[in-house]
């Protein structure tokens, strides 16, 4: 039996892969800047990597359910086409934040826009399903 949502699954893996890369970046920064666990405070270079990692964790909690609700209620391809911008946005966000946290805005806007678009698609799909269930 073929898997019905391969494109959203690939986007999910891309999002998890970028999160995993950020996890590794924090681990490397802990060693490089001698920030021993459980401490989460250190030089700016460490803090930038730590904040990108934690902020991505905070954001992925919103993104993944929206991606899957859009895929399940409307279409796998549409959800994936929108959703692929989220890991791209997180990459842009991280690159900018590592250099200068004040420049993180464009990457953040890409991720936020992705979340909003997926929310609207999922809402449409849920409302449509609700209406059709009473037809």
């Amino acid at each position: 039996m073929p898997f019905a949502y391969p494109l959203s699954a690939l986007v999910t893996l891309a999002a998890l892969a970028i999160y995993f890369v950020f996890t590794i970046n924090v681990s490397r920064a802990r060693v490089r800047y001698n920030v021993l666990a459980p401490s989460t405070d250190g030089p700016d270079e460490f803090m930038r990597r730590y904040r990108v990692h934690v902020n991505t964790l905070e954001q992925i909690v919103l993104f993944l359910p929206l991606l899957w609700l859009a895929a399940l209620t409307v279409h796998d391809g549409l959800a994936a086409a929108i959703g692929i911008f989220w890991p791209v946005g997180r990459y842009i966000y991280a690159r900018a934040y590592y250099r200068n946290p004040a420049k993180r805005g464009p990457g953040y806007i890409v991720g936020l826009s992705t979340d909003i678009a997926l929310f609207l698609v999922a809402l449409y799909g849920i409302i449509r399903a609700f209406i059709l269930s009473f037809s």
Side-chain angles (χ1 to χ4, degrees):
M1 180 169 153
F3 182 57
Y5 305 97
L7 299 174
S8 293
L10 284 173
V11 171
T12 298
L13 288 177
L16 294 173
I18 199 89
Y19 178 72
F20 185 66
V21 167
F22 297 160
T23 301
I24 291 169
N25 288 347
V26 172
S27 295
R28 287 180 174 167
R30 279 190 179 281
V31 171
R32 183 174 185 181
Y33 301 109
N34 197 32
V35 179
L36 304 177
S39 181
T40 57
D41 193 25
D44 281 350
E45 292 79 10
F46 168 77
M47 293 304 298
R48 290 175 186 174
R49 281 151 185 81
Y50 178 75
R51 283 304 311 150
V52 165
H53 176 254
V54 171
N55 186 267
T56 300
L57 177 61
E58 295 164 356
Q59 297 300 315
I60 208 168
V61 171
L62 177 64
F63 168 70
L64 288 177
L66 290 173
L67 173 70
W68 283 97
L69 284 170
L72 292 167
T73 63
V74 178
H75 191 271
D76 179 47
L78 178 61
I82 296 168
I84 195 61
F85 287 97
W86 192 88
V88 171
R90 294 315 299 177
Y91 176 79
I92 294 166
Y93 175 89
R95 294 276 302 185
Y97 202 107
Y98 292 163
R99 292 182 184 134
N100 180 356
K103 304 285 185 174
R104 70 190 185 278
Y108 175 77
I109 295 298
V110 171
L112 179 63
S113 299
T114 302
D115 288 339
I116 291 169
L118 288 171
F119 179 88
L120 294 173
V121 170
L123 181 63
Y124 164 78
I126 292 166
I127 291 171
R128 184 185 67 182
F130 185 73
I131 291 170
L132 290 175
S133 71
F134 288 105
S135 297

